[in-house]
Amino acid sequence: MNVAAPGTAPGRREDPGAGPKTNALRIVASHGIRVGTIAYEVDEEKLDAVSVAEKIGMEPERVFKTLALRGAASGIFLCCIPGNTEIDLRKAARVSGNKNVEMLPLKELQPATGYVRGGCSPVGTKKKFPVYIDETAQLFDRIAVSAGMRGLQMIIAPGDLVRAAEAEYADLI
């Protein structure tokens, strides 16, 4: 059962204006993009995308997790990959113009992006970072990504996510 995130009613919504006003949802709406949202109960022990997929009733390959990485040449950038996969750091380095990359340390995530683990969205970070979305997103009409807070996912067409995040598709897994 989907349980509401703070300030929301349980379950799916097709109007982003009906739930919490996260920065990510405001930016998506500013592009004229309609998205759905799904609120779910947050379990601090299970913040991973596969657990979120189970809670919201979607296949893990359609629930994309947002990872923050750092390269010596590019600095911080974000990658969105299916929840049931692992990022290929060599591919992420290549697409971002780096020789190698590393995951951003967790203690640096919130200061850099404004988001916490389990609530990092590819849209609406404190500072604009390059965003790469795994090319498999194009296989689906709609995917889920964090709406910018724990307990809330936005359901969005991959092309609309690319537009809102000013992202590009890449082979990342």
Side-chain angles (χ1 to χ4, degrees):
M1 177 178 172
N2 293 329
V3 178
T8 67
R12 297 177 190 262
R13 294 191 177 274
E14 286 302 319
D15 177 8
K21 304 281 192 223
T22 68
N23 197 37
L25 289 172
R26 277 192 288 275
I27 290 170
V28 169
S30 76
H31 286 276
I33 299 168
R34 290 188 56 84
V35 298
T37 60
I38 301 177
Y40 61 93
E41 184 176 351
V42 175
D43 179 346
E44 296 288 332
E45 301 298 316
K46 294 184 178 182
L47 295 173
D48 62 284
V50 173
S51 296
V52 171
E54 185 177 308
K55 289 176 184 179
I56 66 172
M58 287 181 74
E59 302 87 357
E61 60 270 15
R62 290 182 55 206
V63 177
F64 279 60
K65 56 189 171 185
T66 304
L67 305 173
L69 297 96
R70 177 183 295 134
S74 69
I76 297 171
F77 62 98
L78 304 176
C79 291
C80 295
I81 63 170
N84 61 343
T85 64
E86 297 295 323
I87 193 156
D88 183 322
L89 293 176
R90 287 176 293 170
K91 290 180 179 181
R94 189 170 32 248
V95 76
S96 64
N98 290 282
K99 288 185 180 178
N100 53 42
V101 297
E102 63 183 12
M103 295 297 296
L104 190 68
L106 188 56
K107 68 182 180 184
E108 295 179 38
L109 181 65
Q110 187 171 17
T113 66
Y115 292 130
V116 296
R117 178 177 172 261
C120 187
S121 178
V123 180
T125 51
K126 282 173 50 172
K127 179 183 174 215
K128 179 69 182 131
F129 297 112
V131 177
Y132 304 97
I133 300 171
D134 188 69
E135 62 192 7
T136 59
Q138 299 171 91
L139 299 173
F140 306 104
D141 291 339
R142 295 174 72 73
I143 60 172
V145 295
S146 175
M149 64 182 280
R150 288 179 180 172
L152 190 65
Q153 293 282 301
M154 70 172 112
I155 310 304
I156 188 168
D160 287 340
L161 180 60
V162 166
R163 185 164 47 109
E166 298 177 30
E168 63 183 77
Y169 292 116
D171 178 11
L172 297 170
I173 56 176

